[in-house]
Amino acid sequence: MVTLKDIAAKAGVSMMTVSRALNGNQNKVSSETAERIRALADEMGYIPNSSARSLAVRSSRIIAVIIRDTDQGNPLMDPYTSYFLGNVVQILEKQNYYIMVHFIRDYSDITFGLRSWNAQGALFLGVFDNEIRQIRQDNQIPLVFTDSYSNVRQMSNVGIDDYKGGCLAAEVLLSHGHRHVAFCGPLSGDTGVIAERLKGFSDTLRKNGCPLSQDQIYNIARIPAEKILDKLLGCAPAPTGLFASSDHIAWQFYNAARKLKVSIPEDLSIVGFDDIAQDQSMILGLTTIRQDIRLKAEQTCGILLRHLDSPKSPSESQILDVELIERESVRFI
Amino acid sequence: MVTLKDIAAKAGVSMMTVSRALNGNQNKVSSETAERIRALADEMGYIPNSSARSLAVRSSRIIAVIIRDTDQGNPLMDPYTSYFLGNVVQILEKQNYYIMVHFIRDYSDITFGLRSWNAQGALFLGVFDNEIRQIRQDNQIPLVFTDSYSNVRQMSNVGIDDYKGGCLAAEVLLSHGHRHVAFCGPLSGDTGVIAERLKGFSDTLRKNGCPLSQDQIYNIARIPAEKILDKLLGCAPAPTGLFASSDHIAWQFYNAARKLKVSIPEDLSIVGFDDIAQDQSMILGLTTIRQDIRLKAEQTCGILLRHLDSPKSPSESQILDVELIERESVRFI
DNA sequence: CTGAAAGCGCTTACAG
DNA sequence: CTGAAAGCGCTTACAG
């Protein structure tokens, strides 16, 4: 392993001169020696030791990406998460940051993950609302959350207009003549992304004289799609439309429908959320609410990078727009 | 930030005693003081500085996951990659390793990524066959490749029986009466995962008296699915079946088909590869060749962990089986 | 069982 | 413009 010392010895200068030359502290070292040293370093295949630098300068260039891990399988099974993560890695690597990925279950793992490597910043995917206060208190580094509905002040967050998304879902069903509809998502508590989508959905339905019945709200965290579908279609009157809180969940219903010989949209119309594949449709013909995941990743990283550059810069919150993408999973009644 | 020194001061012992107590060097420190120190460390919220440890002990517990980046969008857009990565992260974190993700374009970035943080091992996703020799030479740490067809000796690799997969794809089409079929994948060179799938496919067809015509081999790296589909159906005689080299590509054809009002399987039968969602089907009703991605991740990590534990352990190569999953995307002719 | 010294590879801060 | 000293937080290796 080549170190500064080795280069210094070979160049006949001190380590400090090498360090300065390599770090481009330009006017602090004569350009000739600098050039000579750089060539030498290159030739010797020098690669700086990040641990040593991190120790000395207290700046690791490591960004932690913290993903909420659940019991419901691998987080990256939800294409939203994997696509978002992929974009984040690409963007941050371009800025010469290193990315450490952590799947987190308990709060305590967060601080450990951040501190032990002296992460300079962190991005959060998934719901951390109840812990945000604590996380910020324990980790005085730039943190950017996504999809948070926490009311903690001065936090950076990038979210989308979930409520509006719910409204759009209701509208498209209503405009197609649906009067009895259902909602399904991984519900937990009455705040957060899913709750907001439901709220927008429910409010719009009520305003239009078709209130969402309480027993047409299904929690997929507790019941598998197949059971829900079975139950739902057994109601009288049976809902003709379903708003799934994500494409991933809509997809589970497509699978369930296939098993139960239910056809979409003939027997049941479905509206999803995310529009993962963006240009194409992950589920063929799924009418869905699109969020711009690439843009979301860019904004999230943008905020983080700004804070990394100037730690005093004010916290930022952004709410991105959503959009109805009509395809063929909602039929006219 | 709490350091060993702080704890030592508070406990009235030397740093070394603290270090030993915390690292569980049991019989090297009296159990009473050890207990006392551990309690103190806990109370003070001590988190070891991994950079410092890494520097001192030359062991970072960092595993680099190196993913081939291409111009064709985000690597994690292919659900295979994201699901595999997710499993790897889960498995390795459970063993107290840290995971750094690198999207790599050029060879030189690999060594930099590994060395600068003193990674203890690395996993490779995507094709690195031409660089394996160099990578191994430059990085004397455990490396496990996936899906490699390199003939470098003594390398660790976990792959699947791609050739057999191709055979199975041909067989299911043949058994359903298809005589004119096509292949599509991101072809490049005549070796590697895609080439093998094609070879198995082509060989089986030939053996059964239905040789695959050269102009029915389409390279999706150069032509979008829609164009291919258009071209394919314009042939005389037009193929009735298509083997797509991955579910992700099959999905692109489903989308293309939707646009062009081509129905599957009525107008064209399709066989995919991967069976991403495993228990469910990513693309509804897609007949496909399943590989066990979870198992693949486990084996890959297993080999890596074994080498991490005992550096001298021999290299391992594993080829996992594949299996035909029949659903409804292949019709009888 | 416990500790003082030296070192991992780098940088900051001070001299010259 | 260049260098010697000290330190980042930890561990290895040697004494006792």
Side-chain angles (χ1 to χ4, degrees):
Chain A
M1 175 192 272
V2 184
T3 68
L4 284 192
K5 215 174 173 180
D6 301 333
I7 303 179
K10 208 158 193 169
V13 296
S14 76
M15 268 173 58
M16 270 321 298
T17 304
V18 179
S19 170
R20 284 192 271 247
L22 261 30
N23 288 316
N25 268 338
Q26 316 173 1
N27 43 12
K28 298 242 174 180
V29 60
S30 84
S31 56
E32 321 157 43
T33 37
E35 198 39 65
R36 192 162 56 88
I37 289 171
R38 272 194 285 267
L40 203 54
D42 219 51
E43 178 193 319
M44 298 171 73
Y46 173 68
I47 292 176
N49 182 321
S50 293
S51 291
R53 167 177 286 181
S54 176
L55 234 201
V57 77
R58 301 171 144 52
S59 144
S60 61
R61 295 200 79 81
I62 289 177
I63 304 295
V65 178
I66 298 193
I67 303 174
R68 170 70 77 185
D69 201 359
T70 65
D71 291 314
Q72 298 171 51
N74 192 301
L76 292 187
M77 267 311 270
D78 186 330
Y80 165 79
T81 306
S82 57
Y83 188 39
F84 189 83
L85 172 63
N87 278 291
V88 162
V89 173
Q90 278 183 331
I91 296 168
L92 259 24
E93 276 201 328
K94 222 170 271 169
Q95 305 294 322
N96 288 312
Y97 283 97
Y98 301 91
I99 291 90
M100 259 188 192
V101 180
H102 298 281
F103 287 176
I104 295 287
R105 284 173 179 270
D106 300 322
Y107 165 72
S108 60
D109 296 336
I110 298 178
T111 302
F112 193 92
L114 294 180
R115 289 264 200 82
S116 79
W117 281 105
N118 188 21
Q120 286 195 257
L123 253 39
F124 292 80
L125 305 198
V127 185
F128 290 91
D129 284 10
N130 298 325
E131 292 127 322
I132 289 182
R133 203 158 247 130
Q134 189 72 37
I135 296 172
R136 280 158 43 98
Q137 191 178 316
D138 292 353
N139 302 283
Q140 314 273 355
I141 54 173
L143 306 174
V144 184
F145 294 84
T146 58
D147 294 316
S148 170
Y149 277 90
S150 158
N151 48 21
V152 170
R153 309 281 291 176
Q154 292 201 50
M155 60 175 282
S156 289
N157 177 55
V158 177
I160 58 167
D161 196 339
D162 294 291
Y163 184 88
K164 177 179 169 186
C167 298
L168 292 175
E171 281 165 16
V172 68
L173 287 169
L174 288 167
S175 71
H176 283 69
H178 294 264
R179 290 293 167 266
H180 301 282
V181 297
F183 174 91
C184 179
L187 288 159
S188 68
D190 42 30
T191 168
V193 166
I194 307 302
E196 287 298 317
R197 293 177 190 175
L198 170 56
K199 215 175 287 175
F201 187 62
S202 163
D203 285 358
T204 304
L205 290 172
R206 190 171 346 93
K207 269 182 215 146
N208 286 274
C210 302
L212 179 64
S213 142
Q214 274 301 315
D215 52 297
Q216 293 305 337
I217 299 175
Y218 298 93
N219 188 352
I220 198 158
R222 275 206 283 268
I223 319 171
E226 215 174 311
K227 271 224 177 98
I228 294 175
L229 186 58
D230 194 42
K231 220 163 149 183
L232 185 151
L233 293 176
C235 294
T240 56
L242 170 70
F243 175 31
S245 70
S246 73
D247 286 359
H248 188 56
I249 286 167
W251 167 77
Q252 292 174 44
F253 276 97
Y254 269 79
N255 269 288
R258 200 168 138 269
K259 271 197 195 159
L260 301 179
K261 310 269 182 215
V262 170
S263 41
I264 297 167
E266 288 73 17
D267 302 325
L268 182 69
S269 292
I270 292 192
V271 183
F273 204 112
D274 283 342
D275 201 35
I276 311 290
Q278 311 280 311
D279 49 331
Q280 304 189 42
S281 84
M282 186 184 83
I283 300 160
L284 294 178
L286 178 67
T287 291
T288 192
I289 312 300
R290 169 181 297 175
Q291 60 168 314
D292 190 334
I293 302 177
R294 170 76 197 176
L295 177 63
K296 198 172 174 184
E298 278 167 0
Q299 302 294 347
T300 306
C301 293
I303 294 177
L304 187 71
L305 291 168
R306 250 166 274 146
H307 279 84
L308 255 17
D309 284 346
S310 43
K312 307 254 162 174
S313 69
S315 66
E316 296 181 51
S317 266
Q318 293 193 19
I319 301 303
L320 306 181
D321 200 13
V322 296
E323 177 190 4
L324 172 69
I325 303 295
E326 281 206 65
R327 289 194 274 246
E328 298 101 50
S329 64
V330 176
R331 77 167 179 113
F332 281 99
I333 294 281
Chain B
M1 175 193 274
V2 184
T3 67
L4 285 190
K5 214 174 175 180
D6 301 334
I7 303 178
K10 209 158 192 171
V13 296
S14 76
M15 266 173 60
M16 270 321 298
T17 304
V18 179
S19 170
R20 285 193 268 248
L22 261 32
N23 288 316
N25 267 339
Q26 315 172 3
N27 45 11
K28 298 243 172 181
V29 61
S30 83
S31 57
E32 319 159 45
T33 37
E35 199 38 67
R36 192 163 56 88
I37 288 171
R38 272 194 285 267
L40 202 54
D42 218 52
E43 178 193 320
M44 296 170 75
Y46 172 69
I47 292 177
N49 182 322
S50 293
S51 291
R53 165 177 288 182
S54 175
L55 233 201
V57 77
R58 297 170 147 53
S59 145
S60 61
R61 296 200 79 80
I62 288 178
I63 304 296
V65 178
I66 299 196
I67 302 173
R68 170 69 77 185
D69 202 358
T70 65
D71 291 315
Q72 299 171 51
N74 192 302
L76 292 187
M77 267 311 270
D78 186 330
Y80 165 78
T81 306
S82 57
Y83 187 40
F84 188 84
L85 172 63
N87 277 292
V88 161
V89 173
Q90 278 182 333
I91 295 167
L92 259 23
E93 276 201 328
K94 222 169 270 168
Q95 305 294 323
N96 288 312
Y97 283 97
Y98 300 92
I99 292 88
M100 259 188 192
V101 180
H102 298 282
F103 287 175
I104 294 288
R105 284 172 180 270
D106 300 322
Y107 166 72
S108 62
D109 296 335
I110 297 177
T111 302
F112 193 92
L114 293 180
R115 289 264 201 82
S116 79
W117 281 104
N118 187 21
Q120 287 195 258
L123 253 39
F124 292 80
L125 305 197
V127 185
F128 291 91
D129 284 10
N130 297 325
E131 291 126 321
I132 289 182
R133 205 158 245 129
Q134 190 72 38
I135 297 172
R136 280 158 44 97
Q137 190 178 317
D138 292 353
N139 303 281
Q140 314 271 355
I141 53 174
L143 306 174
V144 184
F145 295 85
T146 59
D147 294 317
S148 170
Y149 277 89
S150 159
N151 48 19
V152 171
R153 308 281 293 176
Q154 292 202 49
M155 59 175 283
S156 289
N157 177 56
V158 177
I160 59 168
D161 195 341
D162 294 292
Y163 184 87
K164 176 179 170 185
C167 298
L168 292 175
E171 282 166 15
V172 68
L173 287 169
L174 288 167
S175 72
H176 282 69
H178 294 264
R179 290 292 168 264
H180 300 284
V181 299
F183 175 90
C184 180
L187 287 161
S188 67
D190 41 29
T191 168
V193 168
I194 308 303
E196 287 298 317
R197 293 178 190 174
L198 170 55
K199 215 174 290 174
F201 187 61
S202 164
D203 285 358
T204 304
L205 289 172
R206 189 169 350 92
K207 270 183 218 150
N208 286 274
C210 302
L212 179 63
S213 140
Q214 274 302 316
D215 53 296
Q216 293 306 337
I217 299 175
Y218 298 93
N219 188 350
I220 199 159
R222 277 206 282 269
I223 320 171
E226 215 174 311
K227 271 223 176 101
I228 294 176
L229 186 58
D230 195 40
K231 221 163 149 182
L232 185 151
L233 293 176
C235 293
T240 56
L242 170 70
F243 174 31
S245 71
S246 74
D247 287 0
H248 189 56
I249 286 166
W251 166 78
Q252 291 173 44
F253 276 96
Y254 270 78
N255 269 287
R258 202 170 136 267
K259 270 197 192 155
L260 301 179
K261 310 270 182 217
V262 170
S263 40
I264 298 167
E266 288 74 14
D267 302 325
L268 182 69
S269 292
I270 292 191
V271 183
F273 203 112
D274 283 343
D275 200 36
I276 311 291
Q278 312 278 314
D279 48 330
Q280 304 189 42
S281 84
M282 186 186 82
I283 300 159
L284 295 179
L286 178 67
T287 290
T288 192
I289 311 301
R290 171 181 296 175
Q291 60 167 313
D292 190 333
I293 303 178
R294 169 78 196 175
L295 177 63
K296 197 172 175 183
E298 277 166 1
Q299 301 294 347
T300 306
C301 293
I303 294 177
L304 187 72
L305 292 168
R306 250 166 275 146
H307 279 85
L308 256 15
D309 284 346
S310 43
K312 307 252 163 176
S313 68
S315 65
E316 295 181 53
S317 267
Q318 293 193 19
I319 302 303
L320 306 181
D321 199 13
V322 296
E323 178 189 4
L324 171 70
I325 303 295
E326 281 206 66
R327 288 194 274 249
E328 299 101 51
S329 64
V330 176
R331 77 166 178 113
F332 281 99
I333 294 280

